Amino acid sequence: MLIYFIRHGESETNLNIRLTGWYDTPLTEKGIEDAKKAGEFLKNVHFDKVFTSDLKRAKKAADIALPGYSYEESKLLREINVGSLSNTPHSDISKETKKITAKIGYSDFGGESRDDFISRISLFMKQLENSKYNTVAVFCHAGWMRAMLDIVTGLYLPRQSVYLGNCAITIYKLNGTLWQLNGLFNIPSI
């Protein structure tokens, strides 16, 4: 099975450099253009199944990038819950808090721990492992895609070491329970 994970286009909180999490922010005009570019990249791929996060920025990206497809929404595909830091400007968050939350998550702020986030992602991955699709599209979020890379590689990859721009696409090959990264593309720069 081939699985294409697609990050949503630029959102209002991305533009305004705010921490988003589960805050349900819309796409910007640039985000809409990002999704169109992702659609161009994906136009010759036939998907047996399309999944999307239930947050509107991911659903809108799916609508634009893959017109004519229906999709299944899943809360498992949501970004990490950042609790009370949701919609907070990055500049208002201390370096120490950023360092701590990158390692353990946001449970100290009423959000999700990193372990709970990884468990949620692993649950979705297990659902795919038990499915019979050939080619799947999954619209989700940057933190989700970075955490999945951590799971697949068995490493913790610091956020700054892997750039996942808006509408970035990671492609995995799934054989049984073996996940292999086949590609990572930052669409707007192509």
Side-chain angles (χ1 to χ4, degrees), residues 86-123:
S86 183
N87 200 27
T88 300
H90 281 271
S91 60
D92 289 355
I93 303 169
S94 72
K95 286 183 182 182
E96 185 63 26
T97 297
K98 289 177 184 177
K99 186 185 279 187
I100 291 168
T101 56
K103 289 185 180 180
I104 65 167
Y106 296 86
S107 54
D108 289 349
F109 299 92
E112 202 168 16
S113 73
R114 180 162 167 76
D115 288 343
D116 287 343
F117 186 44
I118 294 291
S119 293
R120 180 162 54 87
I121 293 167
S122 296
L123 181 58

Side-chain angles (χ1 to χ4, degrees), residues 11-18 89-90:
S11 69
E12 299 248 338
T13 52
N14 295 148
L15 175 66
N16 295 313
I17 314 172
R18 293 176 168 268
H90 281 271

